[in-house]
Amino acid sequence: MTSVASGIARKKKVPLSAILLRLSSFLIMGVAVYWLGINFAHSPQEFAQVTINGLNNGLLYALIALGYTLVYGIIELINFAHGDLFMLTSVFSFAVLTELLGAQSPSGKNYALLLVVLLFTMAFGATLNVTIERLAYRRLRDAPKLAPLITAVGMSFVLQWIGLKWIGSVPVNVNTVLPSGKYHIGGVEIAYKTFAVFLITVPVLIILAFVVDKTRRGRAMRATAQDKDASRLMGIDVNKTISFTFAIAGAAAGAAGIMWAQTIGTVAYNLGFQLGLIAFTSAVLGGVGNLYGAVMGGLIIGLIQAYNDGLSIGPGQRWSQSMVFTILILLMVYRPGGLLGETAQEKV
Amino acid sequence: MARLNTPVMLKISDLTVGYGAITAVKGLSLEVREGEIVSVIGSNGAGKSTTLRTVSGLMKPKSGSIEFLGEKIDGIPGHEIVAKGICQSPEGRRIFPKMTVDENLDLGAYLRKDGAAVKEARERVLELFPRLRERINQKAGTMSGGEQQMLAVGRALMGNPKLLVLDEPSMGLAPVLVDLIFETIETIRKSGVTILLVEQNALAALRIADYAYVLESGNLKLEGDGSKLADDPAIAQAYLGG
């Protein structure tokens, strides 16, 4: 608004609104730090406990958020069906591990089965996601943006319907193979399940980040995300690269799906709506299109929910969603591109 | 300079290409022989870039054919054409702005598996454009237009092309850099790479060309030896600004 010619030795006039915006951001951060601080002082054990719970859920959100962000990054599509894909992978893992293989209690054999079915579930998620892209999105790649968006919404309903036919309308309990005990360190209890989530999701996240950042395929993905025609001129098979991206997104959702079923203990046909929304929010919070942003967003939302639900001085569980979205809205005001996102001008 | 007496490398016959209802190229026939520099000139909208996009498989022709080293290549996907030995530095440079110079060059050699030869190619490119060596770890999007152009040409060379296709390599560059780019094109040709060049800077393009084609609104208007066209008063009047 103020036409300040740069380089001229004249005092830059900063608009009042910018000062207020900056001050208010400090104020909000101050309140948040104060709130966490008094809770920490009140009971450090509780604080640590809640943090661990938050990270547990956050890691699962991060895996799903990865799928939104990868797909958006490469074809600028908000894949509304992704949450439901996650739901189907959790149903698949239940059908295979719990029902078909009958692994319903902790034992050495069942841990091994869990790892095997984890791989199968990831493969299932990858195959399903690649198929969805092939059937529903590829033909619309050059169509106006709204067309594939609507197809994605439609696909979401199709997947929900498949879930409904598969396990019915009532949430199903999953007898987990993970041990129910807890590990105690200094007054903090960490469930063995939580360890399992860390042990499985962290390596999966690291491997996926490695694939995107360091491998030839990953470089092709990043090139395709930036400029499809230029990528073709490099000899990159753009269709194949997009399929590969959907495969990675589906595999991550698969890992989240089986761990969800095993740690939360229920699967339901409408699981995808809620989780998809949270994961999509994570992706936006972190800066959609940015891999690390999605992971960060997922962890932050997991933590916000956990602090809000678990800390003794706080609004409590009823305010959980409101808190998450208040923070999302505030963040969007101050950083419209998300935490690690670039400013909007980049994408030409 | 005059047409070389070498075998035909690229043969475009009666090519028609369009976007929807608009026909951008109408029945164009053109030939590039091994070791030549062939220039295509013409004003904006003459169909030059469309022709090159079709050669590289980014667009499909409505009719006509393109043969490369005796093999029909029209209609096959772009990434397979690169494998056959045609690399393009496209109009508007189209470098990958969020990647470093280094990563951009690596992508130019995406299909190549021979590590040692790729290393050599990179060394040659960096010798050709020392500026790129200085900027090797810089994000390509933060470089000047001239540097980006060097990167686009260097990236295309990384693919070890038999035919290097250059679309407006001098566009938007300062006169000093334009001279440098044209000198470099001649250096590249001397190293054994055949070049198909599209330019708005008609005079410079004609001077270095063995053979040249003049397009006008999608039609071939004239063709002839580069130097002859450069001296043709009619051409001078129409394309060289008097």
Side-chain angles (χ1 to χ4, degrees):
Chain A
M1 280 169 281
T2 48
S3 57
V4 182
S6 60
I8 299 174
R10 195 176 64 163
K11 245 195 175 169
K12 246 187 171 178
K13 230 181 161 182
V14 182
L16 187 66
S17 61
I19 299 174
L20 285 177
L21 197 71
R22 178 56 66 85
L23 279 179
S24 61
S25 79
F26 286 143
L27 188 71
I28 292 166
M29 274 195 272
V31 170
V33 169
Y34 176 73
W35 174 55
L36 293 177
I38 53 169
N39 272 297
F40 183 74
H42 174 72
S43 165
Q45 281 95 347
E46 182 192 77
F47 192 81
Q49 179 82 61
V50 169
T51 304
I52 287 164
N53 296 347
L55 290 176
N56 181 356
N57 288 342
L59 283 167
L60 296 178
Y61 299 158
L63 279 173
I64 311 171
L66 219 56
Y68 281 102
T69 228
L70 283 172
V71 166
Y72 183 84
I74 205 151
I75 55 171
E76 285 177 56
L77 167 74
I78 297 166
N79 183 7
F80 279 112
H82 193 68
D84 302 286
L85 176 93
F86 156 78
M87 175 276 295
L88 273 188
T89 63
S90 75
V91 170
F92 173 87
S93 80
F94 163 74
V96 174
L97 184 66
T98 316
E99 293 204 307
L100 187 71
L101 298 172
Q104 306 205 2
S105 60
S107 78
K109 181 185 138 228
N110 286 349
Y111 299 154
L113 283 178
L114 172 68
L115 287 179
V116 173
V117 177
L118 167 75
L119 294 180
F120 274 102
T121 310
M122 289 173 74
F124 171 77
T127 314
L128 186 59
N129 215 18
V130 169
T131 313
I132 290 171
E133 190 268 333
R134 203 52 167 273
L135 292 178
Y137 307 148
R138 182 169 296 181
R139 284 169 173 282
L140 296 172
R141 201 173 295 150
D142 297 322
K145 292 262 147 68
L146 269 179
L149 207 67
I150 293 301
T151 329
V153 173
M155 211 63 224
S156 159
F157 283 112
V158 170
L159 297 184
Q160 267 191 48
W161 181 82
I162 295 174
L164 186 65
K165 287 285 157 197
W166 198 343
I167 54 159
S169 59
V170 186
V172 178
N173 284 323
V174 182
N175 292 323
T176 176
V177 304
L178 298 171
S180 58
K182 283 175 180 152
Y183 185 76
H184 296 263
I185 353 171
V188 182
E189 295 175 337
I190 306 171
Y192 290 131
K193 281 181 192 173
T194 306
F195 279 115
V197 168
F198 277 84
L199 274 177
I200 286 172
T201 56
V202 172
V204 169
L205 282 171
I206 290 173
I207 290 169
L208 293 183
F210 177 82
V211 167
V212 175
D213 267 358
K214 302 284 181 218
T215 63
R216 186 167 168 272
R217 275 289 183 83
R219 192 178 292 139
M221 273 171 69
R222 286 181 289 135
T224 305
Q226 287 178 52
D227 190 332
K228 289 183 186 50
D229 270 353
S231 300
R232 285 190 185 99
L233 291 176
M234 302 298 103
I236 293 169
D237 186 337
V238 167
N239 280 337
K240 223 178 178 179
T241 306
I242 291 173
S243 289
F244 181 67
T245 309
F246 272 83
I248 289 195
I258 188 169
M259 290 321 286
W260 177 274
Q262 289 298 317
T263 55
I264 307 297
T266 55
V267 291
Y269 82 97
N270 56 4
L271 195 60
F273 178 72
Q274 186 207 347
L275 266 284
L277 192 63
I278 290 176
F280 175 62
T281 311
S282 308
V284 174
L285 189 76
V288 73
N290 186 309
L291 200 70
Y292 297 97
V295 175
M296 207 165 146
L299 291 177
I300 288 176
I301 290 189
L303 284 174
I304 294 171
Q305 282 183 337
Y307 287 141
N308 181 68
D309 300 357
L311 294 179
S312 30
I313 309 164
Q317 197 161 6
R318 274 185 299 169
W319 291 88
S320 207
Q321 300 294 59
S322 317
M323 276 293 270
V324 168
F325 284 95
T326 307
I327 287 176
L328 178 76
I329 291 164
L330 286 175
L331 194 97
M332 290 292 110
V333 171
Y334 294 108
R335 282 193 69 94
L339 282 172
L340 299 182
E342 289 119 354
T343 29
Q345 43 155 5
E346 274 273 16
K347 204 104 197 182
V348 184
Chain B
M1 279 179 272
R3 182 121 251 189
L4 301 184
N5 233 338
T6 48
V8 176
M9 184 177 247
L10 182 78
K11 188 178 168 69
I12 299 179
S13 319
D14 207 18
L15 184 75
T16 299
V17 199
Y19 305 82
I22 302 153
T23 308
V25 177
K26 298 161 194 158
L28 173 68
S29 293
L30 173 162
E31 224 177 74
V32 182
R33 297 184 187 169
E34 269 172 40
E36 282 187 327
I37 295 180
V38 169
S39 291
V40 178
I41 63 167
S43 51
N44 252 336
K48 310 184 299 289
S49 291
T50 306
T51 306
L52 295 196
R53 286 174 62 79
T54 315
V55 167
S56 276
L58 300 179
M59 293 185 72
K60 297 219 180 328
K62 282 184 175 164
S63 65
S65 74
I66 305 174
E67 275 175 42
F68 181 64
L69 298 170
E71 190 186 348
K72 197 169 141 17
I73 60 162
D74 50 278
I76 73 171
H79 61 270
E80 286 175 28
I81 286 175
V82 179
K84 297 198 183 300
I86 302 180
C87 296
Q88 180 172 162
S89 159
E91 185 182 18
R93 302 164 197 135
R94 307 291 282 270
I95 46 127
F96 299 105
K98 293 186 214 165
M99 296 188 184
T100 63
V101 170
D102 202 29
E103 288 178 300
N104 268 278
L105 291 178
D106 275 352
L107 277 164
Y110 182 75
L111 290 178
R112 297 177 71 183
K113 304 240 155 51
D114 42 347
V118 171
K119 223 175 212 171
E120 255 173 56
R122 168 196 302 270
E123 221 21 68
R124 273 202 304 276
V125 166
L126 294 179
E127 251 161 54
L128 211 50
F129 302 112
R131 189 69 75 84
L132 294 182
R133 197 192 295 276
E134 295 164 26
R135 312 258 152 160
I136 195 83
N137 289 318
Q138 193 172 326
K139 284 252 168 20
T142 64
M143 300 199 303
S144 73
E147 290 163 344
Q148 291 190 9
Q149 188 61 58
M150 293 175 195
L151 179 58
V153 176
R155 186 180 63 174
L157 283 173
M158 287 296 289
N160 193 24
K162 293 183 183 116
L163 176 66
L164 177 66
V165 177
L166 301 171
D167 197 345
E168 305 263 8
S170 78
M171 188 162 51
L173 300 188
V176 192
L177 282 175
V178 172
D179 292 346
L180 175 73
I181 290 280
F182 278 103
E183 275 168 33
T184 313
I185 293 171
E186 291 197 286
T187 316
I188 294 168
R189 186 259 285 272
K190 278 188 197 120
S191 73
V193 180
T194 308
I195 291 167
L196 174 58
L197 170 70
V198 150
E199 260 300 336
Q200 291 219 44
N201 188 340
L203 187 57
L206 291 176
R207 277 194 181 140
I208 65 164
D210 299 300
Y211 202 75
Y213 296 84
V214 182
L215 297 192
E216 199 178 84
S217 41
N219 294 302
L220 182 61
K221 198 186 172 210
L222 256 178
E223 61 180 290
D225 295 342
S227 47
K228 265 195 203 133
L229 289 184
D231 297 335
D232 187 329
I235 294 282
Q237 206 180 11
Y239 301 100
L240 311 176

